[in-house]
Amino acid sequence: MANGKDNKKPNNDSEIVEKAATKANDFRLLHENAMDFLVINGIKVPVISEISSFLPVGHLQLVFIGGGNIFNPNKKPLAKVASTLLNFGTKKLGKVGFANLLDSKAVSINASVGQTTLTIEVDFLKEYEDFAYEQLHSLLSDPNITESSLKDTKTQLQAAFMSKQSDFDYQAMTLLNKNVFANTPLAYPALGNKVSEIDSITLREVREYLQDNLALARLVVVIGGDMNLSSSLEKLTKMLSMLPQGTQIQIPNYQVKKNPLKILRKDTQQAFIYFASPLNIDSLRTEGYKAQVAGFILGSSGFGSRLMEEIRVKRGLAYSAYMYPNLSKITTSFFGYIQTAIDKQDTTIALTQEIVRDFVSKGATQEELDSAKQFIIGNKPLNEETLSQRLQAKFMNYYNGLPLDYKEEFIENVKNLDLQTLNDFILAHPEIANLTFSVVTKQNK
């Protein structure tokens, strides 16, 4: 592994990244197909960037695609445990010492995990950019992976798990995922199903997880702020050359399956109704914007949406009712939730089914389309006001196979969308009405 081209596990099991003394790569930045790439140890690492001098700050994300929850081993929340452990500082300084050192220069380094990604995020003032990179290097080369820190991590996550047992929205969402994604990794909660599953994680498993995922072949660099981009990337190249090459991983796609209603009985005074349906589209680029407009009209716009008007405004069955499209590389579906009185849950479920069936059989009105266009076109830029929001939007575009600057194309597509085209799309997707419900409701007497 000394030259970054050997993917074998290190002899010393405590090593996470390459520590052998090597000559740093020459700095190489390529531009291909509207994308920038750093060439590190022969691997082309995608770079998503934006330079902005509006504030004297910098923002960096190392996103490792393949480190997410869906790649957990069977019945083990390994990704959550390992990513949390990365926030325990270095072996040399420990959690508190490392945190105090970062605080002294107002630098933030945080690791987190999503469905498919492990992300290390760094925020810093412009004047402390080099310091931030040095501390990131320290974390990658000497993470605090010890029995003591693993024990503390488990205690922290077990407490989080226990607190979720009284979070009925979380319980309803977990129940729904187990229902519509049965027998797939999306059915498994990030924290697992039992406290004992957290406790089952071993130090060796954490080391192997990080060894596999902190790899150049899985890395995307997201960087921006008030900086000299070329200089910053050159510094990162020298630091990241310590990482093993590793192997890429393919992101699977899962579709919602229609299943019978599932009910979980809890000591609650309300019914928490969560539901989902499939959305079978071939292209996020050519069909995703239509799904977003349809979703806005049906249930994601709050007041004015079909669901809110029929369920709350006209009948007073619930305080809120939402349904919106979930569009990503890993799944395309519709998702919704309603909280209502216990004695109104059956009526609310039946009405929701009726509203959605009516929508997919008849489509939208011109008035609804005009209202949706006005809001979506005006709101889209507001979602990308800050540097971190813009960088995150660009990364998600890259992740989903869209152009980095897809925002302008999206706005133009929505602006030019006519009612016939929208309704043709809606009527072509009757599967949206194939709703599967999961409910957390009151215990039986």
Side-chain angles (χ1 to χ4, degrees):
M1 206 171 89
N3 61 3
K5 296 182 179 181
D6 187 349
N7 295 324
K8 294 180 181 179
K9 297 289 189 293
N11 293 328
N12 182 349
D13 201 36
S14 67
E15 290 183 8
I16 300 306
V17 294
E18 179 182 1
K19 297 182 183 179
T22 60
K23 182 178 179 181
N25 278 12
D26 292 333
F27 172 58
R28 291 180 60 198
L29 181 64
L30 302 180
H31 185 78
E32 297 178 356
N33 301 320
M35 277 289 301
D36 289 327
F37 296 89
L38 276 178
V39 181
I40 308 175
N41 293 343
I43 299 292
K44 293 200 304 184
V45 177
V47 176
I48 297 169
S49 64
E50 179 176 327
I51 300 304
S52 171
S53 59
F54 183 71
L55 291 172
V57 297
H59 179 79
L60 169 69
Q61 289 183 22
L62 303 182
V63 185
F64 297 91
I65 298 177
N69 293 315
I70 69 166
F71 302 107
N72 277 320
N74 187 37
K75 294 185 178 179
K76 286 193 175 184
L78 177 58
K80 188 66 175 179
V81 172
S83 61
T84 302
L85 193 52
L86 276 179
N87 293 319
F88 275 62
T90 63
K91 281 183 185 175
K92 180 179 179 180
L93 296 177
K95 181 179 181 181
V96 175
F98 189 69
N100 288 339
L101 180 61
L102 296 181
D103 287 344
S104 70
K105 298 291 191 293
V107 171
S108 170
I109 300 179
N110 181 69
S112 61
V113 69
Q115 288 181 324
T116 61
T117 58
L118 168 66
T119 300
I120 301 175
E121 189 169 350
V122 186
D123 289 289
F124 50 88
L125 297 175
K126 178 181 180 180
E127 60 184 303
Y128 295 126
E129 179 181 1
D130 289 347
F131 173 84
Y133 295 162
E134 289 169 6
Q135 303 320 309
L136 176 59
H137 179 275
S138 296
L139 179 64
L140 290 172
S141 59
D142 186 35
N144 188 15
I145 299 179
T146 63
E147 289 291 354
S148 175
S149 58
L150 178 59
K151 181 179 178 181
D152 290 343
T153 297
K154 290 179 178 180
T155 300
Q156 176 182 321
L157 293 180
Q158 286 167 346
F161 177 91
M162 295 305 297
S163 70
K164 293 293 187 183
Q165 304 315 298
S166 58
D167 183 341
F168 299 132
D169 279 301
Y170 173 84
Q171 293 290 323
M173 170 61 90
T174 300
L175 184 65
L176 178 66
N177 285 336
K178 290 179 179 180
N179 200 3
V180 298
F181 294 116
N183 302 316
T184 77
L186 288 180
Y188 187 72
L191 287 170
N193 292 308
K194 305 174 185 176
V195 168
S196 60
E197 292 175 358
I198 296 173
D199 196 50
S200 70
I201 302 296
T202 67
L203 208 60
R204 177 177 290 274
E205 287 175 319
V206 171
R207 289 166 179 156
E208 290 178 350
Y209 164 87
L210 294 176
Q211 176 68 23
D212 288 340
N213 287 292
L214 297 181
L216 294 172
R218 300 187 179 188
L219 175 62
V220 179
V221 173
V222 182
I223 185 170
D226 189 3
M227 60 180 66
N228 182 303
L229 182 60
S230 179
S231 174
S232 297
L233 291 176
E234 185 171 7
K235 295 171 186 175
L236 287 175
T237 298
K238 293 177 181 178
M239 181 190 71
L240 295 173
S241 63
M242 71 167 71
L243 297 177
Q245 284 188 326
T247 57
Q248 287 186 334
I249 195 164
Q250 295 298 314
I251 303 300
N253 180 266
Y254 302 103
Q255 289 299 313
V256 164
K257 302 296 183 183
K258 181 170 175 55
N259 282 311
L261 168 72
K262 281 188 178 293
I263 294 179
L264 179 64
R265 303 287 181 178
K266 291 285 185 175
D267 186 17
T268 174
Q269 303 304 310
Q270 296 284 315
F272 296 79
I273 302 170
Y274 277 60
F275 53 96
S277 62
L279 175 63
N280 304 324
I281 60 176
D282 297 323
S283 169
L284 291 177
R285 186 171 186 177
T286 60
E287 297 182 276
Y289 74 95
K290 300 173 190 174
Q292 289 199 39
V293 174
F296 182 91
I297 295 168
L298 178 57
S300 67
S301 59
F303 284 102
S305 72
R306 291 279 186 95
L307 282 179
M308 188 73 89
E309 286 295 309
E310 295 294 331
I311 292 174
R312 174 180 172 168
V313 176
K314 292 183 179 180
R315 295 172 176 83
L317 292 174
Y319 180 76
S320 60
Y322 288 92
M323 185 176 180
Y324 51 85
N326 180 13
L327 307 173
S328 71
K329 189 172 186 176
I330 192 170
T331 186
T332 54
S333 59
F334 267 83
F335 161 79
Y337 59 93
I338 302 169
Q339 186 177 336
T340 188
I342 300 290
D343 61 346
K344 303 296 184 184
Q345 69 183 43
D346 293 341
T347 300
T348 302
I349 289 173
L351 179 59
T352 301
Q353 292 175 311
E354 179 185 335
I355 294 167
V356 178
R357 281 196 299 264
D358 183 73
F359 181 74
V360 299
S361 64
K362 298 178 181 178
T365 67
Q366 186 64 53
E367 182 181 2
E368 289 174 324
L369 174 58
D370 292 341
S371 177
K373 281 186 175 186
Q374 183 177 11
F375 182 88
I376 293 172
I377 293 171
N379 189 63
K380 186 69 173 177
L382 298 180
N383 292 329
E384 300 180 20
E385 282 188 309
T386 68
L387 174 66
S388 60
Q389 286 176 327
R390 292 193 297 274
L391 287 171
Q392 181 63 21
K394 287 182 179 181
F395 170 76
M396 290 308 302
N397 288 339
Y398 166 79
Y399 176 85
N400 288 320
L402 299 168
L404 294 186
D405 57 352
Y406 178 65
K407 180 183 72 173
E408 299 304 325
E409 180 180 326
F410 173 85
I411 291 175
E412 196 65 24
N413 284 338
V414 172
K415 187 183 299 183
N416 294 328
L417 181 62
D418 61 81
L419 185 62
Q420 184 64 53
T421 301
L422 174 62
N423 283 338
D424 286 346
F425 172 83
I426 294 171
L427 271 60
H429 292 280
E431 72 274 9
I432 296 172
N434 294 333
L435 300 176
T436 294
F437 290 86
S438 295
V439 182
V440 173
T441 189
K442 189 176 182 179
Q443 294 175 338
N444 290 325
K445 292 184 180 180

